[in-house]
């Protein structure tokens, strides 16, 4: 398996808004070949620190998703988000292969 974490910070008062966006996400990634799971994590001590966790069965399937038209479309929409402070957020992305369970 292959897991990717995208961690980003938003103002604490906007965390609920961002969580709402993810609760209503398009879910197109769920249909991607090899998709296993999606989680949105919120730091227990810093409400504005959020992490998207995506898990795929292989790195190759994850990379196929990243290169897909759906991925590009979704991320282009993020750049056009009306709240420019949120649209300008750049996540720190970390990628891991699962080596033990």
């Amino acid at each position: 398996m292959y897991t990717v974490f995208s961690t980003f910070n938003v103002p604490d008062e906007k965390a609920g808004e961002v969580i709402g966006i993810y609760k209503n996400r398009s879910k197109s990634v769920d249909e991607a070949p090899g998709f296993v799971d999606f989680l949105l994590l919120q730091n227990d001590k810093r409400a504005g620190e959020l992490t998207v966790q995506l898990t795929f069965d292989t790195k190759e399937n994850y990379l196929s998703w990243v290169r897909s038209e759906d991925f590009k479309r979704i991320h282009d929409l993020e750049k056009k988000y009306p709240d420019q402070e949120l649209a300008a957020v750049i996540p720190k992305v970390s990628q891991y292969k699962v080596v033990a369970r």
Side-chain angles (χ1 to χ4, degrees):
M1 285 198 303
Y2 196 72
T3 300
V4 178
F5 295 92
S6 298
T7 300
F8 55 96
N9 290 285
V10 299
D12 287 354
E13 64 273 7
K14 293 187 180 186
E17 179 181 348
V18 174
I19 291 167
I21 291 167
Y22 278 97
K23 284 183 176 180
N24 294 306
R25 67 188 179 86
S26 73
K27 297 189 170 124
S28 64
V29 68
D30 299 26
E31 304 302 319
F35 172 81
V36 175
D37 197 20
F38 166 94
L39 294 172
L40 177 64
L41 310 170
Q42 184 177 37
N43 186 302
D44 196 36
K45 298 196 185 307
R46 294 182 303 280
E49 182 181 312
L50 301 166
T51 299
V52 172
Q53 177 184 335
L54 288 176
T55 303
F56 281 80
D57 61 353
T58 66
K59 179 179 181 178
E60 292 73 23
N61 279 332
Y62 167 72
L63 293 175
S64 291
W65 160 249
V66 170
R67 294 177 185 129
S68 74
E69 288 303 315
D70 269 348
F71 178 91
K72 291 175 190 157
R73 180 182 54 78
I74 290 166
H75 288 83
D76 282 345
L77 287 174
E78 289 175 358
K79 294 174 192 165
K80 297 174 186 166
Y81 191 69
D83 184 325
Q84 288 304 298
E85 186 175 19
L86 293 179
V89 170
I90 299 173
K92 176 186 181 278
V93 178
S94 301
Q95 302 174 9
Y96 302 88
K97 67 179 172 183
V98 177
V99 295
R101 283 185 86 185

